Amino acid sequence: MTAQRLYAVPKPEFVESPASWLFRVASSQAVSMWQMGRFLGFRMSRDCDEQILTLEPGHLARVSGQTGNEFEDVSRMLKLALTLRMELPVLLHENGLPRYRFCVECLVRMRTPYLPIFWRMDVYRLCTIHQCLLEDHCPHCGGMICPQSRMGPSGVARPDVSMLSQCLACTGFLWDVAPIKIKAVNRRRLSKGDRTRLFNGGAFVSALFHGKVELPGEDSSNVQSALERAARLNMFASDLDLTAKSIRDDGSGQFKKQA
């Protein structure tokens, strides 16, 4: 760690969150995420994802060997997300640090497990690819997915976690749980309006990525005002009962565990 240039640094995956990438870089260099973050210029007591907007890209490129524009899409999405005036926070946090949900089927299929930035968006609760609800907690210990946190359940760091498909607290595999397919949920449990709000989470993420809105009755000329208006009209999922844990706990469907 005394050298001024790192080698064999993995490139960020598609719209990978900075905190996710930092974890993978640290694993590739056999150091802690906090050591790596400080080396790259992050203030690790603060939200690493948000810091990507102010971190000097030239420095990050020189030290990590990247081109400097790897987080261009993520920065654009975060910049817009952080300007939104919505009743609930746009980004998930735990003690001021990034928190994520995850799609069970995405993690199973990823060659390189990572955390996309949109898994941190509160209104994005349904995977638009696999039509299953995103999970909030580790299925083994109930821990939250907070890669920037240094502590496990015993109050010490867990250096034996090598992949982001593992729980950072107990090391169990996050995908080891039955995914909740939306079509398997009782329609009395999820109304047509609820399902629409869940699907609109994908439109929210698309608006952040493309800079235009694809929601019924919303003018795409001003993305910020359109998304804020859609939120006021209750077009996005925000209730605590519209989560995987809530639906699993009340037994509103039959879900098969991953083979």
Side-chain angles (χ1 to χ4, degrees), residues 184-231:
V185 182
N186 191 307
R187 291 192 174 273
R188 285 179 293 183
R189 175 59 172 84
L190 283 182
S191 68
K192 183 178 180 180
D194 289 336
R195 293 168 192 267
T196 298
R197 282 188 282 275
L198 286 168
F199 276 105
N200 282 345
F204 179 89
V205 168
S206 178
L208 295 182
F209 183 83
H210 295 287
K212 61 181 181 180
V213 173
E214 297 179 2
L215 288 165
E218 293 301 323
D219 180 7
S220 63
S221 60
N222 188 318
V223 178
Q224 179 182 348
S225 61
L227 290 177
E228 290 174 348
R229 181 173 182 274

Side-chain angles (χ1 to χ4, degrees), residues 150-152 154-160 168:
R150 291 190 292 183
M151 301 301 175
S154 61
V156 296
R158 294 300 301 258
D160 47 344
L168 301 171

Side-chain angles (χ1 to χ4, degrees), residues 36-255:
M36 180 55 62
R38 289 195 297 268
F39 180 79
L40 292 177
F42 288 87
R43 295 180 63 184
M44 296 305 292
S45 60
R46 297 174 56 188
D47 189 321
C48 283
D49 290 348
E50 295 185 14
Q51 285 183 70
I52 204 67
L53 299 177
T54 57
L55 204 64
E56 204 274 301
H59 163 75
L60 193 61
R62 287 189 298 273
V63 177
S64 68
Q66 307 296 308
T67 63
N69 61 355
E70 284 82 5
F71 290 106
E72 184 177 341
D73 292 335
V74 169
S75 296
R76 184 179 65 253
M77 294 174 72
L78 284 172
K79 186 176 293 186
L80 178 54
L82 292 170
T83 65
L84 296 175
R85 296 183 293 273
M86 296 170 62
E87 185 175 345
L88 295 175
V90 177
L91 302 177
L92 297 170
H93 294 86
E94 179 67 15
N95 296 323
L97 300 179
R99 179 170 74 85
Y100 304 84
R101 297 188 176 103
F102 62 94
C103 169
V104 173
E105 297 207 353
C106 282
L107 282 182
V108 167
R109 289 164 172 77
M110 284 177 173
R111 178 175 297 181
T112 301
Y114 74 99
L115 304 173
I117 192 65
F118 52 83
W119 282 0
R120 199 184 159 189
M121 309 290 179
D122 184 41
V123 302
Y124 188 82
R125 304 183 181 196
L126 177 73
C127 177
T128 54
I129 299 173
H130 300 112
Q131 309 290 291
C132 57
L133 291 170
L134 271 60
E135 302 289 335
D136 283 271
H137 306 90
C138 169
H140 307 287
C141 71
M144 294 182 178
I145 313 307
C146 307
Q148 199 175 329
S149 173
R150 291 190 292 183
M151 301 301 175
S154 61
V156 296
R158 294 300 301 258
D160 47 344
V161 176
S162 60
M163 298 182 295
L164 284 168
S165 55
Q166 292 178 267
C167 174
L168 301 171
C170 74
T171 77
F173 285 105
L174 298 174
W175 45 256
D176 190 21
V177 64
I180 299 181
K181 296 283 190 178
I182 192 171
K183 66 180 180 181
V185 182
N186 191 307
R187 291 192 174 273
R188 285 179 293 183
R189 175 59 172 84
L190 283 182
S191 68
K192 183 178 180 180
D194 289 336
R195 293 168 192 267
T196 298
R197 282 188 282 275
L198 286 168
F199 276 105
N200 282 345
F204 179 89
V205 168
S206 178
L208 295 182
F209 183 83
H210 295 287
K212 61 181 181 180
V213 173
E214 297 179 2
L215 288 165
E218 293 301 323
D219 180 7
S220 63
S221 60
N222 188 318
V223 178
Q224 179 182 348
S225 61
L227 290 177
E228 290 174 348
R229 181 173 182 274
R232 290 195 299 272
L233 293 174
N234 195 29
M235 295 178 69
F236 302 119
S238 59
D239 300 333
L240 292 178
D241 65 338
L242 294 181
T243 62
K245 183 179 186 304
S246 176
I247 291 174
R248 182 176 286 108
D249 288 348
D250 64 27
S252 300
Q254 298 297 318
F255 316 113

